Amino acid sequence: MLETGVKPDFITVDGAEGGTGAAPIDFSNYVGMPWEDALIFAVDTLNTYKLKKDIKVITATKIFTLLICLKPFVLFSP
């Protein structure tokens, strides 16, 4: 991206907390990382290469409580 200047408009981040349940059990046990870690990794990487201003980050996770809903705002507020 840095060399060509070609960048995506957005990146979607989803955690490994499960999904439809259709994936093999080994995927849910051994593949992926928690949603918060994945989001922090993606944003930190974009910031490191000064790409965050050009690329939006979309995220999805299971929301059980208001605290989980507010967590991205607390983690990434300017």
Side-chain angles (χ1 to χ4, degrees), residues 14-25 27-28 61-62:
D14 195 359
E17 289 82 12
T20 64
I25 193 72
F27 279 23
S28 59
T61 189
K62 293 179 185 177

Side-chain angles (χ1 to χ4, degrees), residues 12-77:
T12 304
V13 175
D14 195 359
E17 289 82 12
T20 64
I25 193 72
D26 285 342
F27 279 23
S28 59
N29 289 340
Y30 303 111
V31 177
M33 65 175 66
W35 166 77
E36 294 94 340
D37 296 339
L39 183 60
I40 291 167
F41 175 79
V43 171
D44 284 349
T45 301
L46 290 172
N47 282 329
T48 297
Y49 293 99
K50 297 179 177 43
L51 294 169
K52 180 63 183 81
K53 66 183 182 332
D54 299 322
I55 302 173
K56 304 270 189 273
V57 177
I58 300 170
T59 187
T61 189
K62 293 179 185 177
I63 296 178
F64 295 108
T65 66
L66 180 61
L67 177 62
I68 293 172
C69 186
L70 295 175
K71 199 178 276 189
F73 298 104
V74 173
L75 289 173
F76 301 106
S77 60

